[in-house]
Amino acid sequence: MAGSFNRSSMALCLVWAATFALCLVSSLAKLHRIDHPVNSDSLRVLVVGDWGRKGHYNQTEVAVQMGKVADVLDPAFIISTGDNFYGSGLTGTDDPQFEESFSKIYTAKSLQKQWYNVLGNHDYRGNVEAQLSPVLTKIDSRWLCMRSFIVNTEIAEIFFVDTTPFADKYFTHPGDETYDWSGITPTRKGYLSNLLKDLDSALKESTAKWKIVVGHHTLRSAGQHRDTVELVRDLLPILKADDVDLYINGHDHLVQHISSRDSKLQYFTSGGGSKAWRGDYDLNKEGLKFFYDGQGFMTLEITETDAVLIFYDVFGKVLYKWSVSKAYTSI
Ligand SMILES: *[C@@H]1O[C@H](CO)[C@@H](O)[C@H](O)[C@H]1NC(C)=O
C-alpha cells in the first residue's frame, strides 16, 4: 500500500513539475501585447535614442526641438530606441537620474505622451529591473520599458526587441564593465531562441498593413558600430521572411537611412538624442541613402497606404525626408 501511494504521489509530483515547467517556459516565451489604437487616419510618432545625460551634450536642445515638432505633429506616442540613461543605466527606482535625464528634460506639453522604451547596452550596465519597474511609471506616468513587447496601433504593429543579449562581446569581452544579466543567463541561448521564435510567430500572425521592428542595436549601419553581426545572422532572416517594412534602432549616435537590395526592409537609425560626433563612419556603405553624424531625432507618419519619415537636427531643421507608398501594390 505504502509503495503504491508513493508511486502515485511521485507521478502526481512529476505531472505538477512538468506543468509548472511548461507554464514557466510559455510565460517566458510570450511577448506582451499592448493595444494602442490611434483613432485617427494616421499614426504619428517621434523616435529618439541614446539620450539620458542630464541635459548635457545638447540633450536639452534636442528635447526642445522635439517639443516644437510634436506641437505640430501631435504624436500618439514617443519611441526610445534605448541607452536611456548614461553611462550605466539606473542604480535603482530611486535613482535621481530618472527625473534628471527624463522627466525634467522632455518637459514640453506635446511630449506628455506615452513613451515606449527599449533597453540599450548602457542600460544593461545598471539595474535592469529598475527600468522595467512600474515604480517609475508612478513617478512619471509616461514611462514604460519592457525587454520585448508589441504595440498594436491598428494602422501599424510595432515589435520591440531586446537586442543587447544577442551581442557576444558583452559576454565574452565585458572589459571593466559589469552587466546585469539577471533574467538572461544562465539560459541566454534559450532566452534568445524563445524571443526569436515568439517574434517570428507574432510577425506571421500579424495582419497589420505595416510591420515595424524597433531595437537598440544596428542591423545595418555606416556608423561607428557598423552592422551587428549576431543580429544580421539571427534576426534579419526573420524580418525579411515576415515582410517587415522598417527596422528602427539607435546605438550609433547619429541619424541615417539605409535601404536593402533584396527586400523592402528599410533601416533607420535614430540615436542622436545627446552625445554625437563620433567621426567614425563608412560613407561607402551599401544602400546608404542618408547619413548625418550628429544630433537629432525622427518622426514617423503612417496611414493605411503611405509612410513618411523625417529626420530633424538640433535646431529643428529638416535634414531628410523619405516616403513610401503601398497604394499601388495593395491591388
Ligand atoms: C551642439 O549642437 C551644435 C550644433 O549642431 C554643435 O555645433 C555642438 O558641437 C553640439 N554640442 C555638443 C556638446 O555636442
Side-chain angles (χ1 to χ4, degrees):
M1 272 310 272
S4 82
F5 172 79
N6 278 343
R7 266 202 301 281
S8 61
S9 53
M10 171 91 88
L12 261 176
C13 202
L14 279 173
V15 168
W16 180 85
T19 313
F20 179 75
L22 269 176
C23 288
L24 198 68
V25 167
S26 65
S27 75
L28 280 177
K30 202 160 160 38
L31 289 182
H32 188 83
R33 180 183 291 269
I34 297 163
D35 284 317
H36 194 136
V38 288
N39 304 319
S40 161
D41 293 342
S42 67
L43 166 68
R44 301 177 303 279
V45 177
L46 247 74
V47 185
V48 66
D50 305 83
W51 41 269
R53 296 185 193 269
K54 302 180 186 175
H56 300 307
Y57 293 98
N58 286 349
Q59 187 196 355
T60 300
E61 284 75 359
V62 172
V64 167
Q65 297 305 330
M66 285 170 62
K68 289 185 181 168
V69 168
D71 271 344
V72 179
L73 188 72
D74 188 24
F77 49 82
I78 292 137
I79 290 173
S80 163
T81 57
D83 276 4
N84 306 320
F85 302 100
Y86 285 99
S88 303
L90 296 178
T91 56
T93 51
D94 57 355
D95 188 336
Q97 214 207 329
F98 177 66
E99 286 171 279
E100 290 163 3
S101 285
F102 178 60
S103 306
K104 292 179 182 164
I105 303 294
Y106 302 101
T107 52
K109 195 160 166 269
S110 57
L111 299 177
Q112 306 307 306
K113 305 282 173 70
Q114 179 68 59
W115 284 55
Y116 292 118
N117 304 277
V118 288
L119 297 164
N121 49 303
H122 282 266
D123 300 309
Y124 266 99
R125 293 184 189 178
N127 180 335
V128 167
E129 284 304 322
Q131 287 202 51
L132 307 177
S133 171
V135 172
L136 294 189
T137 312
K138 287 215 181 88
I139 300 171
D140 190 319
S141 61
R142 296 177 287 177
W143 186 261
L144 185 77
C145 183
M146 285 186 252
R147 292 187 202 262
S148 298
F149 60 107
I150 302 170
V151 174
N152 182 15
T153 68
E154 288 164 8
I155 295 173
E157 210 164 355
I158 309 178
F159 304 79
F160 294 81
V161 178
D162 184 22
T163 58
T164 307
F166 282 89
D168 291 334
K169 66 176 180 189
Y170 306 125
F171 297 85
T172 56
H173 298 90
D176 294 336
E177 306 301 339
T178 53
Y179 292 87
D180 177 5
W181 299 128
S182 49
I184 309 290
T185 51
T187 54
R188 178 180 169 221
K189 259 177 98 172
Y191 177 87
L192 296 177
S193 63
N194 273 342
L195 171 51
L196 290 170
K197 190 172 60 107
D198 294 340
L199 178 68
D200 187 30
S201 48
L203 283 167
K204 283 192 164 66
E205 280 162 23
S206 173
T207 55
K209 199 76 189 263
W210 300 90
K211 298 184 208 175
I212 301 170
V213 174
V214 174
H216 176 65
H217 288 75
T218 56
L219 262 172
R220 300 290 187 203
S221 178
Q224 185 199 29
H225 295 103
R226 306 297 198 272
D227 299 359
T228 305
V229 290
E230 297 89 343
L231 293 182
V232 170
R233 185 190 63 208
D234 300 337
L235 180 65
L236 185 54
I238 292 174
L239 306 195
K240 284 186 177 170
D242 295 341
D243 245 12
V244 171
D245 298 281
L246 306 171
Y247 179 73
I248 300 173
N249 60 275
H251 200 42
D252 273 329
H253 298 176
L254 47 84
V255 295
Q256 73 183 331
H257 172 206
I258 295 177
S259 67
S260 321
R261 200 176 26 157
D262 56 351
S263 79
K264 66 173 177 181
L265 184 61
Q266 304 290 317
Y267 308 92
F268 284 85
T269 299
S270 183
S274 62
K275 194 174 183 178
W277 314 110
R278 292 285 172 90
D280 173 6
Y281 44 78
D282 168 22
L283 296 182
N284 296 317
K285 177 79 185 164
E286 185 188 319
L288 187 62
K289 307 271 273 189
F290 179 78
F291 183 88
Y292 174 69
D293 191 30
Q295 286 131 356
F297 59 98
M298 187 174 88
T299 62
L300 178 64
E301 187 166 2
I302 304 186
T303 66
E304 284 285 316
T305 54
D306 295 273
V308 179
L309 290 91
I310 302 176
F311 288 134
Y312 294 86
D313 73 6
V314 69
F315 304 110
K317 193 186 111 205
V318 172
L319 288 169
Y320 178 69
K321 183 171 173 174
W322 181 80
S323 58
V324 63
S325 180
K326 296 194 182 201
Y328 306 108
T329 55
S330 62
I331 304 164

